[in-house]
Amino acid sequence: KQWYQRRVAITAGENEADLKAEKIEKADSDDKMKVENGSDDIISEDKKKPKTKTKTVQNPLEVTISKKGFTAKELQEAVERENAMISTDKLIKDRLMAKNAVEEYVYEMRDKLYSKLENFISESDKDVYLAELSKTENWLYDEGENCQKQVYIDKLAELRKVGDRIMTRYTENEGRQGALNLLGTSLVHVRKVLDLIRNKDEKYDHLSEEDIKTLAEKDAEFQGVFNDFCNKATSQKLDEDPLITVAQINLKKKKVPTATLR
């Protein structure tokens, strides 16, 4: 009997354990189904949910200026101050440009006196002028550091009195021979015409005796001028001012008679 009671108890215990296991398994199954059904419901609900549109609305912003504007007097004073600053800037710029012009001239002339201009100034004059250029250069970085524009203009003009004379000697020497050649060519043409006239070339039958006489006199006159020019050019020293200028030679060439030669 005791064995039977024990067996019944054991069997009852086993049945109770089985029931608990079944309840747990069923609960898990129900939970799983709820989760799955819930996910489907969420997905379905998301699909049904309409898309929202965003609309931007601009509201006017009112700005209130508490400070009053400038008066006419204040505006006029501001304009005057601005004009004064512009004028000051221009004065400074012009002054610096004038100063730079002096400095550049000093460097340029010093270089040329040892190159293309070296034969167009005597050695003694060159020494004096080079000393003046060096003196001016030192002045620029000392007393002449912050001078007025006119002071620099005057200083440059003073240097150019000598420098321009030297440069003129160079340019005249470069152009003198070419100008003489052109004048000489014109005179050769006149002499050829006179020879043709003496030989009774019918091409010049339209010329009167007076025309021919005037042409011969002009030829003699211009030939004398040409010879004088050539003599002066030959005796010209490079370091001296020109005895004749290219402008003088060209002017004589323009006056050579040509109209009556056609």
Side-chain angles (χ1 to χ4, degrees):
K1 185 177 180 178
Q2 290 179 354
W3 173 85
Y4 175 77
Q5 291 177 345
R6 192 183 307 117
R7 179 60 183 169
V8 171
I10 291 172
T11 301
E14 290 176 352
N15 290 336
E16 186 178 354
D18 291 338
L19 288 173
K20 288 182 178 180
E22 288 179 2
K23 288 181 179 180
I24 293 172
E25 184 177 353
K26 183 179 180 182
D28 291 340
S29 177
D30 291 341
D31 292 341
K32 183 177 181 181
M33 289 179 65
K34 288 180 180 179
V35 170
E36 292 177 352
N37 291 336
S39 176
D40 291 340
D41 292 341
I42 292 172
I43 294 173
S44 177
E45 186 177 344
D46 289 341
K47 290 182 178 179
K48 293 179 180 179
K49 185 177 181 180
K51 294 182 179 179
T52 58
K53 294 183 179 180
T54 303
K55 183 178 181 181
T56 303
V57 179
Q58 295 182 351
N59 294 323
L61 178 63
E62 294 184 2
V63 178
T64 302
I65 301 176
S66 58
K67 187 180 184 305
K68 66 177 182 179
F70 290 105
T71 64
K73 181 179 179 182
E74 290 173 334
L75 287 174
Q76 181 62 31
E77 291 175 350
V79 170
E80 291 176 356
R81 286 195 299 270
E82 182 179 5
N83 290 338
M85 287 188 291
I86 293 174
S87 178
T88 300
D89 290 343
K90 186 178 184 304
L91 288 175
I92 294 174
K93 181 180 179 181
D94 291 346
R95 183 182 65 81
L96 291 177
M97 288 180 64
K99 179 183 178 182
N100 290 339
V102 176
E103 185 177 33
E104 290 173 4
Y105 188 81
V106 168
Y107 295 152
E108 179 184 354
M109 286 304 299
R110 181 184 292 151
D111 178 68
K112 289 179 178 179
L113 287 174
Y114 287 106
S115 54
K116 70 178 185 179
L117 297 181
E118 62 179 344
N119 295 324
F120 296 90
I121 184 172
S122 65
E123 287 298 322
S124 58
D125 290 342
K126 181 191 292 185
D127 292 340
V128 173
Y129 192 49
L130 285 172
E132 184 63 28
L133 292 174
S134 297
K135 180 181 177 181
T136 301
E137 182 182 13
N138 295 331
W139 172 81
L140 284 171
Y141 298 102
D142 189 10
E143 297 177 5
E145 178 69 26
N146 292 301
C147 293
Q148 296 296 320
K149 172 185 174 182
Q150 191 59 45
V151 175
Y152 296 121
I153 293 175
D154 294 342
K155 180 64 69 173
L156 180 59
E158 183 179 345
L159 293 176
R160 293 185 71 100
K161 286 180 182 179
V162 178
D164 286 354
R165 287 179 62 191
I166 302 170
M167 197 67 195
T168 297
R169 295 168 190 168
Y170 170 80
T171 55
E172 287 292 328
N173 183 71
E174 290 291 300
R176 184 182 300 116
Q177 191 57 53
L180 285 173
N181 291 341
L182 292 175
L183 176 58
T185 300
S186 297
L187 294 177
V188 168
H189 178 64
V190 173
R191 286 196 300 273
K192 285 183 178 180
V193 170
L194 287 172
D195 289 339
L196 291 173
I197 291 173
R198 293 188 188 99
N199 293 326
K200 306 300 182 181
D201 191 313
E202 61 181 15
K203 184 178 180 181
Y204 300 99
D205 287 345
H206 64 286
L207 296 178
S208 64
E209 290 295 329
E210 187 66 27
D211 291 335
I212 296 173
K213 180 182 177 181
T214 301
L215 182 60
E217 290 174 351
K218 287 291 183 181
D219 175 59
E221 176 189 343
F222 277 89
Q223 191 61 50
V225 173
F226 177 72
N227 292 337
D228 179 59
F229 283 172
C230 290
N231 290 334
K232 289 179 177 179
T234 301
S235 62
Q236 178 70 60
K237 292 183 179 180
L238 296 179
D239 59 358
E240 294 180 353
D241 294 337
L243 300 173
I244 54 168
T245 65
V246 173
Q248 289 174 321
I249 299 171
N250 290 336
L251 182 61
K252 280 297 179 183
K253 178 182 176 300
K254 290 180 179 179
K255 293 182 178 181
V256 173
T258 58
T260 57
L261 305 183
R262 298 171 185 172

